[in-house]
Amino acid sequence: MSFLCKPYLCLSPLVLPENISSDEAEEEGKEKENGVTGSPVLDFKMPKSKSEYPSQSPSPCKLGNGAALESRDDSKFVCFPIVGQQFCSSSLVVLTVRKKPLVFSGGGFTVTDSSGQVVFMVDGRGPSFSHRLLLMDALGKPLLTLHRKFLNIMYNTWDGFAGDKCDGQKPIFRLRKSFLFNRSAVIEVFLSSNKRKGHFDYKIEGCYMERYCTFYSDDRTIIAEVKRKYATPEVLLSKDVYNVVVRAGIDQAFIMGLVVILHQMSGENDSI
């Protein structure tokens, strides 16, 4: 697989103080090491290695295989339930998503865990239901109703409702993507508890059609990834089968709801 990273995805994670160049910062660092007192305004030293760069701003271009997320220490995880606490694991979870054939089963998805057990489902409902989707658990219980809004001409907007949506029910989250940008544009997610106008809680970068997406919290912490699945180290499966890697403490049902919306927004809706 070949994937061309967008230039904006390859920005350096290092942020220098305003009006300070890297050479000036390095020189100041050397002066401080030699005991020379510099300007009281500048208290900065260039990192000596990549490992010293700030961890909150990783480069998404290096995360296509999920290695960065899977290598994180989740021993002190914090649970962030959105759909339900039962969907938050104490360790990293790798889910496998499979698109069901439209001809034989009406389309949709099945989502399995590492042991092959079905944990989530999305049934195909035909074109007339393309703007209202239902994420269910393994027993068919509705977990999320995903509904597209058409009132905003600036954004492609979807609302997520708990369970099977009823009239008057308020969404628990909203996802939006600007119509002004291409398919690799940043997608923002807002929780219903968010009182900061215009400030997102999560965002998604990458390209779902290539099965390459990284999910971030507002402080640039990686919480999940979509990536291609390999049958063996040398054999890459089709895009109809792929992995969703979810960090410990993150609500897996919430992440899968976002993935289902990404699929619909990408235009690959012939099987849903």
Side-chain angles (χ1 to χ4, degrees), residues 94 96 98 227-231 235-238 241-243:
V94 179
T96 298
R98 290 178 173 85
K227 62 178 185 175
R228 297 287 297 273
K229 182 178 178 63
Y230 286 82
V235 179
L236 182 65
L237 297 178
S238 76
V241 182
Y242 55 94
N243 285 140

Side-chain angles (χ1 to χ4, degrees), residues 92-108:
L92 180 140
V93 173
V94 179
L95 303 173
T96 298
V97 181
R98 290 178 173 85
K99 289 176 59 178
K100 296 188 292 185
L102 177 64
V103 175
F104 299 104
S105 61

Side-chain angles (χ1 to χ4, degrees), residues 107-128:
F109 293 113
T110 57
V111 184
T112 56
D113 59 19
S114 58
S115 65
Q117 297 295 315
V118 174
V119 288
F120 302 111
M121 299 186 298
V122 179
D123 277 346
R125 298 187 175 188
S128 61

Side-chain angles (χ1 to χ4, degrees), residues 97-168:
V97 181
R98 290 178 173 85
K99 289 176 59 178
K100 296 188 292 185
L102 177 64
V103 175
F104 299 104
S105 61
F109 293 113
T110 57
V111 184
T112 56
D113 59 19
S114 58
S115 65
Q117 297 295 315
V118 174
V119 288
F120 302 111
M121 299 186 298
V122 179
D123 277 346
R125 298 187 175 188
S128 61
F129 291 90
S130 60
H131 305 300
R132 187 179 187 275
L133 304 170
L134 197 64
L135 177 71
M136 300 171 288
D137 64 12
L139 300 177
K141 178 184 176 181
L143 301 175
L144 280 174
T145 299
L146 309 169
H147 185 266
R148 184 177 179 183
K149 295 177 64 69
F150 291 93
L151 300 179
N152 195 323
I153 62 174
M154 294 292 294
Y155 295 97
N156 187 346
T157 305
W158 287 75
D159 284 343
F161 299 85
D164 200 349
K165 178 181 178 294
C166 302
D167 292 338

Side-chain angles (χ1 to χ4, degrees), residues 217-236:
S217 61
D218 59 352
D219 62 355
R220 293 290 294 180
T221 299
I222 303 173
I223 62 168
E225 287 182 305
V226 171
K227 62 178 185 175
R228 297 287 297 273
K229 182 178 178 63
Y230 286 82
T232 69
E234 295 81 21
V235 179
L236 182 65

